[in-house]
Amino acid sequence: MGGPPITGFSIRITTGEPQAGDAPTLTATGQAVAINVPAGGLHWSGWALTASAPIPSADGVTVVLAGELYHRDALRVAIGPSADGVNDDAELLLACWLRYGAPGLRLLDGRFAAVVTEGDTVVAATDHAGTVPLYVRHGQDGLAIATEAKALRHGGPSEPLPGTESVPGNTGVRRVRAGTAVAVVPSSGKASAIRTWLPPEHRIVLPEEEAVRRVYTVLDEAVRSRLDGGPVTVVLSGGIDSSSVAALTRQSGVETISLGTDAGDEFEAARTVADHIGTRHSEFRVGSEDLVRQLPWAVAAAEIIDADVLEYLLPLVVMYRLLPGAGRRILTGYGADIPLGGMHRATRRLDSLDTVISDDMNTFDGLNEMSPVLGCLAGHWTTHPYWDRSVLDVLTALEPGLKRRHGRDKWVLREAMRDLLPEATVSRPKLGIHEGSGTTSVWTSMLLDAGVAAADVPRAKRAMAIAIHDRVVGQAEPPADVSFDDVLRDVIASPSLAVVK
Ligand code: ATP
Ligand code: MG
């Protein structure tokens, strides 16, 4: 598998000997291996999606880590001799914790969700941007922690915890915020939280050349840090974001993949890039309505009800499900637009551009756009170089005049990639994945054809997302058992939409 040793988990931590539980229902696929570990006065029991379940322990500290760390060499240097030769990321986290304690989580640049216990305290931690969603339920019977909300759906509402938020639906589960470590003492109920990252609000002023050099360097390092020496796949649209990632992989045998539908594709733009950089390239064309009908898979993976975000994620989920072979390591160009303001193509003034960038960087949490479950549902591991912590720090902090410049959006990124990509790619206007694949327009047409009034389309999409979420998250029904057409019929028949028929 091109992914990390553990891709997900569902664990209960109790003060007494726990009851054996059933294997959890998770949308991520993989072998669920039982965990049963006494750790000081606490007891861990549950499941990890893994081939080997490495749960390292030393000096009374026990660690589980779903996901992976990047920039490991720098981390090893900081930790010192105890990290020499340590390659396993959970072991690295353990060594980091033993040297720095909980604030050591602030050193990590990775894509992970982790649980650490020390003495009578449990810590549940997300990476800087919460790219691996992490859920908790805190009750009389201890603390349950999982990488998917649906795994924790039984057991009544969680007590509120600092550093967490409620999630959609009636599961009663809470989500650990991005860049946060929540500490709980199950025996006393005492709880606290620390932040491990915040999006920068200051802006750096730099000469053009220096800004371009910095963006190139930091993105190059983020891509390199995500290669593990094995084969990689880049999901390539031919837009500047994914083309840059594909170009920076610079290793032979890279595979690039493009998705199109009968409603639209970006095949020519992607092929131009693939030919230029010399990747093994494939195109997949699916029926646009068939694509939209896979909405339950996107809802089950992302565990959200935001229809706009689901429209971005759905084509990716469809593509991951189509890919031949299991266990790929997939790099995407997802997320560049958030710190660069790329979605705000019509925003001309720099003050409003910077305002939307600041707003977007402060409201991404909980959208789960980067969730690994989107790929893990088909057995693939995804990683997003633009949401590397160092890349986000630089891209967010650059002053907005470097992002919109000389009449171009994402100017600084385009300039940084000028030498590696064809001119047509560097100057290609942005096209969102939901637009290029026709996902948004086809879902809309399907609703209009079913009798929904144009003005009610957004409301109907949201109602469908909520209805599907109730089933695939609230009741953990397999997405294959949820029919898009049945949900659509029910939503139209529901009193709130019936009036518009
Ligand atoms: P741009 O923002 O300039 O259009 P982009 O297409 O790379 O660049 P998005 O449109 O934001 O970026 O899409 C997000 C990511 O989803 C892409 O970077 C790419 O990894 C993936 N993606 C988008 N469309 C496709 C597609 N048709 N086929 C394969 N992957 C795609
Ligand atoms: Mg695009």
Side-chain angles (χ1 to χ4, degrees):
M1 159 98 179
I6 297 185
T7 51
F9 56 73
S10 177
I11 294 166
R12 177 175 294 280
I13 298 176
T14 50
T15 44
E17 186 74 20
Q19 310 247 315
D22 295 335
T25 330
L26 297 168
T27 299
T29 59
Q31 197 187 343
V33 172
I35 295 171
N36 204 332
V37 186
L42 298 170
H43 199 104
W44 296 49
S45 61
W47 303 84
L49 292 178
T50 178
S52 54
I55 311 282
S57 208
D59 296 347
V61 180
T62 305
V63 167
V64 69
L65 181 132
E68 58 192 10
L69 303 178
Y70 306 117
H71 309 280
R72 295 183 187 95
D73 290 343
L75 185 63
R76 273 189 281 259
V77 170
I79 297 169
S82 64
D84 281 354
V86 175
N87 286 316
D88 177 72
D89 287 339
E91 299 266 9
L92 262 183
L93 168 58
L94 177 61
C96 182
W97 184 284
L98 291 172
R99 176 153 157 72
Y100 293 93
L105 293 162
R106 296 186 171 128
L107 276 63
L108 307 181
D109 185 348
R111 168 162 174 69
F112 67 87
V115 180
V116 182
T117 57
E118 179 168 25
D120 59 0
T121 305
V122 186
V123 174
T126 52
D127 66 42
H128 62 288
T131 73
V132 178
L134 186 62
Y135 300 91
V136 293
R137 176 195 296 289
H138 183 218
Q140 296 289 326
D141 52 344
L143 194 64
I145 311 174
T147 49
E148 293 181 38
K150 63 179 74 65
L152 304 181
R153 68 195 181 282
H154 298 303
S158 172
E159 286 165 28
L161 285 174
T164 68
E165 281 174 3
S166 59
V167 299
N170 298 319
T171 53
V173 175
R174 300 188 68 83
R175 184 180 52 77
V176 178
R177 283 193 197 122
T180 298
V182 181
V184 182
V185 180
S187 55
S188 68
K190 214 176 123 216
S192 60
I194 61 165
R195 288 305 303 248
T196 53
W197 187 76
L198 282 169
E201 291 286 355
H202 69 286
R203 299 296 180 247
I204 304 171
V205 179
L206 286 176
E208 285 186 351
E209 240 171 69
E210 170 63 11
V212 164
R213 198 185 54 76
R214 234 186 248 193
V215 167
Y216 179 89
T217 306
V218 79
L219 186 60
D220 186 32
E221 177 59 29
V223 171
R224 241 176 320 131
S225 168
R226 280 161 175 74
L227 308 174
D228 66 354
V232 290
T233 303
V234 181
V235 281
L236 177 69
S237 63
I240 187 67
D241 308 342
S242 49
S243 302
S244 302
V245 169
L248 289 169
T249 54
R250 304 168 201 273
Q251 69 179 35
S252 59
V254 171
E255 209 175 331
T256 45
I257 311 266
S258 290
L259 181 82
T261 70
D262 51 283
D265 67 65
E266 301 178 58
F267 285 165
E268 203 183 315
R271 182 152 296 282
T272 302
V273 174
D275 287 347
H276 188 85
I277 61 180
T279 58
R280 202 148 41 89
H281 186 68
S282 338
E283 295 165 352
F284 292 89
R285 192 182 294 282
V286 296
S288 55
E289 294 198 358
D290 290 344
L291 182 151
V292 172
R293 285 196 173 91
Q294 294 182 53
L295 180 64
W297 293 90
V299 178
E303 304 196 305
I304 56 168
I305 55 172
D306 185 313
D308 293 337
V309 174
L310 286 165
E311 286 176 353
Y312 311 151
L313 302 181
L314 179 50
L316 291 170
V317 165
V318 170
M319 187 162 38
Y320 299 147
R321 294 191 65 214
L322 264 176
L323 292 182
R328 288 174 188 254
R329 168 170 288 268
I330 298 174
L331 271 62
T332 84
Y334 202 93
D337 291 314
I338 304 171
L340 289 173
M343 270 120 35
H344 305 281
R345 283 164 279 187
T347 309
R348 289 276 152 251
R349 288 185 48 137
L350 292 180
D351 58 350
S352 37
L353 180 66
D354 202 48
T355 301
V356 292
I357 289 170
S358 176
D359 285 350
D360 290 349
M361 287 305 300
N362 283 301
T363 53
F364 68 77
D365 195 14
L367 299 178
N368 293 357
E369 289 175 270
M370 314 286 162
S371 173
V373 185
L374 298 158
C376 284
L377 63 69
H380 306 300
W381 178 252
T382 52
T383 178
H384 315 290
Y386 289 98
W387 276 56
D388 182 278
R389 195 183 63 182
S390 313
V391 174
L392 266 191
D393 278 337
V394 170
L395 294 187
T396 309
L398 286 179
E399 61 96 354
L402 292 161
K403 301 175 185 177
R404 179 175 317 284
R405 198 172 192 85
H406 307 305
R408 281 272 161 83
D409 59 5
K410 298 191 269 194
W411 176 86
V412 68
L413 174 63
R414 294 179 192 280
E415 282 308 303
M417 297 310 301
R418 182 166 289 290
D419 291 344
L420 290 189
L421 291 171
E423 169 55 32
T425 310
V426 170
S427 56
R428 184 170 179 237
K430 191 202 158 53
L431 187 67
I433 181 168
H434 55 303
E435 302 165 315
S437 59
T439 303
T440 299
S441 56
V442 172
W443 188 5
T444 298
S445 318
M446 289 165 84
L447 292 172
L448 295 174
D449 291 350
V452 175
D456 286 314
V457 165
R459 204 148 58 90
K461 286 183 176 178
R462 185 172 172 83
M464 287 191 72
I466 292 170
I468 294 171
H469 186 278
D470 278 351
R471 293 178 59 182
V472 296
V473 180
Q475 297 166 54
E477 270 188 68
D481 293 354
V482 178
S483 148
F484 177 94
D485 295 302
D486 289 352
V487 172
L488 174 53
R489 213 180 29 244
D490 292 349
V491 160
I492 289 174
S494 73
S496 61
L497 276 179
V499 288
V500 302
K501 265 177 56 176

